[in-house]
Amino acid sequence: EIKKLGMGAFLGVAQGSAQPPKFIILDYNPRNNGGTIILVGKAITFDSGGISIKHSTKMDKMKYDKAGGAAILGVIHAASKLHLHQRVVGLIPATENLLSGSALKPGDILTSAEGKTIEIINTDAEGRLILADALNYALGYKPKVIVDIATLTGACVIALGNVASGLLGNDEGLKGGLKKA
């Protein structure tokens, strides 16, 4: 089904693993919902870095690269327990990023669900790939809000250091509410 959706970026990351990828869709949809909020959560269930392999001193922590997807599961669970009057859709692209004979290589070209081509330079930049296809899928819901929850740790640490988290957006009210929460 992922292949039928044209999610070539997501499938590219998954191709190094013997485990099949999963695109998890959770839809909490009460009546009179007032519009759709989409939550997209990155779930790299284990991230070796692929061919651009991570250093062994940090490898044991790469099971946490699924934290964005786990957070989405928690939010959808809470929405159902709280009986929110808001439609909340959780989209979780889940896969491993592993090193194997079939793994992505620097120089490979992938085609995303949006139809854009992506040249792979570093196989450890896999989060952007799976999120690109999931975010494109999210647009089909015509949501009023999309919130993307992803570790993307390397890029944030380079940009912000170890003392801050990244928060980007184009809606100051939503950003303020998320920061306050």
Side-chain angles (χ1 to χ4, degrees):
E1 290 177 39
I2 296 168
K3 190 174 187 176
K4 281 184 191 174
L5 292 170
M7 294 182 170
F10 180 25
L11 287 173
V13 173
Q15 73 190 32
S17 176
Q19 304 302 317
K22 301 292 181 188
F23 187 60
I24 302 163
I25 302 169
L26 304 165
D27 193 344
Y28 173 76
N29 192 4
R31 294 183 194 165
N32 305 320
N33 63 48
T36 302
I37 293 174
I38 302 282
L39 304 174
V40 179
K42 178 181 134 190
I44 298 293
T45 57
F46 189 83
D47 183 12
S48 72
I51 299 286
S52 305
I53 196 163
K54 293 182 181 292
H55 194 277
S56 64
T57 58
K58 296 182 180 180
M59 192 71 75
D60 63 319
K61 303 213 179 351
M62 292 304 107
K63 61 187 175 188
Y64 300 122
D65 214 9
K66 61 183 172 282
I72 301 302
L73 291 170
V75 169
I76 297 294
H77 178 74
S80 70
K81 291 293 184 189
L82 294 169
H83 304 288
L84 294 184
H85 299 292
Q86 176 67 56
R87 183 180 189 194
V88 183
V89 176
L91 303 177
I92 306 170
T95 190
E96 297 173 314
N97 182 25
L98 293 179
L99 179 64
S100 76
S102 59
L104 278 178
K105 299 173 294 306
D108 284 352
I109 306 290
L110 301 175
T111 303
S112 72
E114 188 181 8
K116 294 190 179 205
T117 55
I118 304 162
E119 181 180 6
I120 304 306
I121 304 298
N122 180 334
T123 62
D124 195 25
E126 81 297 329
R128 297 170 187 92
L129 299 171
I130 70 170
L131 290 169
D133 282 344
L135 289 165
N136 183 73
Y137 187 86
L139 296 175
Y141 287 92
K142 303 208 182 321
K144 68 178 189 176
V145 172
I146 299 175
V147 177
D148 173 358
I149 302 173
T151 50
L152 299 178
T153 313
C156 279
V157 169
I158 289 167
L160 305 172
N162 290 314
V163 295
S165 295
L167 173 64
L168 301 170
N170 60 3
D171 180 323
E172 293 303 320
L174 176 61
K175 287 190 329 185
L178 289 170
K179 189 173 178 181
K180 185 177 177 185

